[in-house]
Amino acid sequence: MKLSLPKIIQGGMGVGVSSVQLANTVSRRGQLGVVSGTALGLTFARRLMQKGNEAYVEAMKHFPFKKVIERIQKRFSLKSENDPFKMVEMPTIHPSDDLNDLIVVANFVEVHLAKQGHLGVVGINFLEKIQFPTLASVYGAILAGVDFILMGAGIPHRMPDVINKLFKHEDVSIPIKVVNEVKTDVEMSTFSPRAFAQGEDLPTLTRPQFLAIVGSHTLATYLMKSEFGSPDGFVVEMPIAGGHNAPPRGRYPITESGEPVYGERDLVDFEALKAINMPFWLAGGYGNHEGLSKALSLGAVGIQVGTAFAFSDESGFEKELKKRVLKQVVSGDIRVKTDIKASPTGFPFKVANIEGTLSEEAVYQARRRVCDLGYLREAYRKDNGTLGYRCPSEPVDDYIRKGGKIEDTVGRKCLCNGLVAGIGLGQKRKDGNDELPLVTAGDDLKHLSPYINLETYSYSANKVLDILLS
Ligand SMILES: Cc1cc2nc3c(=O)[nH]c(=O)nc-3n(C[C@H](O)[C@H](O)[C@H](O)COP(=O)(O)O)c2cc1C
């Protein structure tokens, strides 16, 4: 079945910023609401431990494999407000059955809730760089009937094949990158839907569309030729977009404040893009009144918008944090830095200068380095030949002991804990140094004023849609 294509994609924003409520609101309006699929196993477990998330508990009951749900219900229960969250296993190439349960169900629940109460389409966004939970996540989303899967932050050339197999409950595998190793198909992450279902009935599923998020027409062309099948369309993201950005091509200059400089070679060739003859949406700076018509005139089907939705009432950002951001926007005291150090992935990452968050040097320095969520860890080969896991944002001594270079640890931020704290699910620490947020946003953050109610310092996602579609 071919779906009719939406003009507006509300971008997938991790961790949890593209919430169930946001995606649901956008989908109700006939556009594409997208939930973030990043670290859902973790955030779902934390929601089960936190009061006020009854909808998530209810949604679990719709999951087709009942034994899985019984196991999860036994493992997670409500905690007292001031207690820390119980730890959840960090993702690796070989997750335990418990972690797989959590990941599949978390993705199911997120999509299921986003689809409630309307007949619109819903998407889920993944990052190619975060490989370990990918297969279980995609399966969970497909079980819930997700209509679109979007993936960026890497080269997602295997995804069409993965999706084609998972919707038929076939076994899947993807190679995991091991640092400094050239051969790519040595270590495989695998997932078997039949083994996962443990004999319970397998429902008939529908194949979602796959949209690859790319930074250039060159990558789009490459993906069209993949032996693993081609995407059903592209989101073409410019470097002023929020979140992670593709780095400039080749060697590039860096400003004094540590920002990459993009040049002629990074400009998208829209004629070449059109020649691919696939639907595409433009992202990065299109979240305004003129954005849609500009994109249409360049041959796009529509636009993907992040920043304008990220600070709306329905987004997952914690309420008070959102207000703080919008007050800074109105006062003009707002700046977004394209930081080439902050993200452990090595990709440039946009960081907004928000008071009391990890963007402030003193707050960043006061944080004790700890790595206990582990979504951005990379696999490395230990001396005994087995795989180990490390992250440049973990305690420096640990990283070096694992063969990492000290220069790679400088300026690195713990995106996992910082982003999770931004949606009100931050960890409480026994020593009182609770995890504080890190806010990412696109360069367009400073242009949000037309959306903001100056009495409440807030606005709704519907207002964003009204302005975008006007
Ligand atoms: C808070 C925030 C988090 C984001 N996280 C992700 C993400 O996890 N995955 C992704 O593909 N894009 C992510 N993005 C990019 C958006 O999906 C979207 O493409 C981009 O924001 C569009 O540009 P704009 O911000 O100028 O509207 C994020 C953007 C923001 C603002």
Side-chain angles (χ1 to χ4, degrees), residues 265-322:
R265 289 180 68 194
D266 303 303
L267 294 176
V268 174
D269 179 342
F270 292 103
E271 289 309 315
L273 204 54
K274 276 196 279 188
I276 297 175
N277 211 11
M278 293 297 282
F280 67 92
W281 290 257
L282 298 181
Y286 288 86
N288 49 51
H289 179 62
E290 298 80 28
L292 183 57
S293 47
K294 193 167 130 200
L296 294 177
S297 71
L298 290 167
V301 172
I303 54 179
Q304 170 165 290
V305 175
T307 301
F309 285 116
F311 301 94
S312 66
D313 300 336
E314 292 82 355
S315 88
F317 270 131
E318 197 266 321
K319 221 171 156 191
E320 285 309 309
L321 176 62
K322 246 185 299 207

Side-chain angles (χ1 to χ4, degrees), residues 63-72 74 95-102 104 139 143 169 171 191-203:
F63 190 71
F65 312 135
K66 300 304 168 201
K67 286 184 225 152
V68 176
I69 298 307
E70 283 163 24
R71 287 199 293 269
I72 291 182
K74 276 193 200 135
S96 68
D97 290 347
D98 279 351
L99 183 57
N100 262 342
D101 285 355
L102 204 54
V104 177
Y139 186 59
L143 278 175
H169 305 283
D171 291 0
F191 184 81
S192 167
R194 282 169 203 279
F196 179 80
Q198 294 185 351
E200 294 196 56
D201 290 343
L202 299 172

Side-chain angles (χ1 to χ4, degrees), residues 14-260:
V15 173
V17 175
S18 290
S19 62
V20 159
Q21 291 80 359
L22 179 56
N24 192 295
T25 305
V26 174
S27 297
R28 269 170 203 270
R29 292 280 302 267
Q31 303 303 325
L32 177 56
V34 177
V35 289
S36 165
T38 305
L40 276 181
L42 172 81
T43 55
F44 177 64
R46 289 195 173 180
R47 288 189 205 281
L48 295 181
M49 293 181 243
Q50 198 185 48
K51 277 200 197 106
N53 292 309
E54 289 74 17
Y56 288 79
V57 180
E58 273 306 300
M60 265 204 299
K61 296 180 185 158
H62 296 270
F63 190 71
F65 312 135
K66 300 304 168 201
K67 286 184 225 152
V68 176
I69 298 307
E70 283 163 24
R71 287 199 293 269
I72 291 182
Q73 279 167 336
K74 276 193 200 135
R75 284 171 52 217
F76 297 101
S77 52
L78 285 180
K79 70 173 188 70
S80 315
E81 203 178 322
N82 292 321
D83 285 352
F85 289 105
K86 181 175 155 184
M87 295 308 296
V88 175
E89 174 187 327
M90 294 201 265
T92 58
I93 187 170
H94 300 302
S96 68
D97 290 347
D98 279 351
L99 183 57
N100 262 342
D101 285 355
L102 204 54
I103 295 172
V104 177
V105 174
N107 281 270
F108 172 89
V109 165
E110 205 77 3
V111 172
H112 176 83
L113 289 172
K115 285 185 84 85
Q116 289 311 291
H118 61 83
L119 296 172
V121 284
V122 166
I124 191 163
N125 173 286
F126 297 111
L127 302 174
E128 199 275 337
K129 272 259 178 189
I130 300 185
Q131 293 189 300
F132 306 133
T134 297
L135 301 177
S137 300
V138 171
Y139 186 59
I142 297 180
L143 278 175
V146 77
D147 303 287
F148 286 84
I149 291 180
L150 300 95
M151 187 180 264
I155 303 176
H157 67 294
R158 292 212 177 219
M159 282 309 284
D161 181 52
V162 165
I163 294 169
N164 283 338
K165 287 183 170 146
L166 281 180
F167 99 92
K168 291 182 275 181
H169 305 283
E170 290 172 9
D171 291 0
V172 280
S173 60
I174 48 169
I176 295 296
K177 288 179 197 104
V178 179
V179 278
N180 301 331
E181 291 188 4
V182 186
K183 214 162 174 301
T184 55
D185 52 356
V186 178
E187 300 288 349
M188 304 296 283
S189 165
T190 60
F191 184 81
S192 167
R194 282 169 203 279
F196 179 80
Q198 294 185 351
E200 294 196 56
D201 290 343
L202 299 172
T204 304
L205 302 172
T206 309
R207 177 191 174 276
Q209 306 271 301
F210 174 59
L211 305 182
I213 304 173
V214 298
S216 66
H217 60 275
T218 326
L219 179 53
T221 309
Y222 172 80
L223 289 173
M224 284 307 293
K225 294 181 190 150
S226 167
E227 61 186 294
F228 300 100
S230 38
D232 300 297
F234 297 94
V235 173
V236 186
E237 205 179 58
M238 317 297 155
I240 68 166
H244 284 98
N245 302 134
R249 297 180 71 186
R251 284 172 64 83
Y252 53 89
I254 295 169
T255 66
E256 252 174 48
S257 60
E259 297 185 81

